[in-house]
Amino acid sequence: MLRLAGARLLSDRDDAVVRAVLAADPVASCMVSARVEVAGLDPWRLGGELWAADYRGARGGRLPGLCFSGPNLIPLRGNAAALRSFADRALRKQRVCSSLVGPAEQVLGLWDELAGEWGPAREVRDDQPLMAMDAQPAVKPDPLVRPVRPDELERYLPAAIAMFIEEVGVDPRAGDGGASYRARVAELISSGRAFARFENGEVVFKAEIGAMSRSVGQIQGVWVRPDRRGHGLGASGTAAVVSRLVNGLGRTASLYVNSFNSPALAAYRRIGFSQVGRYATVLF
């Protein structure tokens, strides 16, 4: 543990207490758990840092405050004092994260501390139901939805870009011409976590398992081609990915969705998802 003012940087020596915190809420912590299970707590391998708000608590086997700082800033646990310590550490260097995301109470509390320096945000999505299910979907899975093959990257990528622009509001090709986003999509495909339904060589439905821990898989990037919407492809396609997670991989399926997206919420509930928490996202 490196002792600095405010939040403390955790190391592999704190592995047991961190894993206990993550296991206490496996759905909410899936994005961080997936990294920790593969890489441990070393920042270089983890692709970011894990911060604790209470050094003495970590030494005593408990962790009242925990935050991941990497491509996204993800506060998982912490009271007002913990969030202030996370903000203090975050403000010591230039912002590099593209979003602040996680349990709504922690995200919105941390954003209150950061907004004066990092604001204004491009968008604050303060109510995103976090949903999960671990049973066979109630909607019949689309038998034509399957894992995308590596040789299909060029056909899949335009749909992934269209989804990103529609959902996030920015073009993922900006800045580096799309090289980073293309590499990320290629990684998802090569790991068998990108799914699509192709018709006449074009993607009409897509979804991905963005993060997968030992117990939970988080579905992301659900998209239906605009001219095919309203025909049930989203529900049956998502059901196919759920079936793959629950029946094929032995995981709980999870996702989060904007509360104002009534059609998506209705579809997910038909599939069998129920709300288990609330997320929030601050987009930069």
Side-chain angles (χ1 to χ4, degrees):
M1 176 90 67
L2 299 180
R3 188 174 180 83
L4 298 173
R8 272 71 172 181
L9 176 62
L10 294 164
S11 72
D12 282 333
R13 289 177 296 175
D14 307 293
D15 184 81
V17 66
V18 169
R19 289 178 186 263
V21 170
L22 298 176
D25 193 348
V27 174
S29 66
C30 177
M31 287 186 284
V32 177
S33 295
R35 287 176 171 268
V36 170
E37 289 171 5
V38 171
L41 273 61
D42 176 77
W44 187 85
R45 298 193 309 270
L46 188 62
E49 298 178 346
L50 272 171
W51 302 339
D54 186 342
Y55 174 72
R56 293 167 301 176
R59 290 287 299 268
R62 60 183 183 84
L63 211 55
L66 181 65
C67 182
F68 172 77
S69 175
N72 302 299
L73 189 61
I74 308 174
L76 289 175
R77 176 183 290 193
N79 58 19
L83 296 177
R84 281 193 295 273
S85 73
F86 296 150
D88 176 70
R89 182 158 189 129
L91 292 171
R92 290 176 177 272
K93 55 186 177 181
Q94 184 177 3
R95 178 183 64 79
V96 295
C97 60
S98 62
S99 70
L100 173 57
V101 61
E105 183 177 1
Q106 278 70 46
V107 165
L108 299 177
L110 183 53
W111 180 236
D112 284 344
E113 300 289 338
L114 293 170
E117 295 290 332
W118 283 6
R122 184 164 56 82
E123 185 178 355
V124 177
R125 301 176 177 179
D126 61 0
D127 186 9
Q128 298 176 303
L130 177 64
M131 311 183 83
M133 61 180 293
D134 59 5
Q136 177 69 18
V139 171
K140 182 180 178 181
D142 185 345
L144 297 181
V145 170
R146 58 170 175 80
V148 180
R149 299 190 306 265
D151 65 287
E152 295 173 316
L153 172 62
E154 298 303 329
R155 287 194 285 165
Y156 183 80
L157 192 59
I161 292 170
M163 176 281 303
F164 194 96
I165 293 172
E166 187 174 329
E167 174 63 23
V168 182
V170 297
D171 192 326
R173 296 167 294 186
D176 64 357
S180 297
Y181 187 67
R182 178 190 177 91
R184 171 58 176 161
V185 172
E187 177 189 10
L188 288 168
I189 291 174
S190 66
S191 62
R193 292 190 284 139
F195 299 82
R197 172 173 171 152
F198 290 89
E199 291 182 0
N200 300 317
E202 294 187 0
V203 175
V204 296
F205 166 86
K206 67 163 289 291
E208 296 142 5
I209 304 171
M212 188 162 66
S213 70
R214 292 191 181 110
S215 60
V216 179
Q218 188 175 85
I219 298 171
Q220 67 175 30
V222 177
W223 180 86
V224 177
R225 200 173 70 186
D227 65 329
R228 296 301 307 276
R229 293 175 185 175
H231 301 287
L233 284 179
S236 62
T238 303
V241 182
V242 169
S243 182
R244 172 65 174 162
L245 272 169
V246 174
N247 299 322
L249 299 172
R251 263 75 167 184
T252 294
S254 77
L255 52 79
Y256 60 99
V257 59
N258 295 313
S259 61
F260 56 77
N261 192 344
S262 299
L265 273 170
Y268 297 146
R269 287 173 177 144
R270 286 200 306 274
I271 292 167
F273 282 97
S274 59
Q275 185 170 350
V276 296
R278 184 168 72 100
Y279 258 31
T281 303
V282 179
L283 296 169
F284 302 116

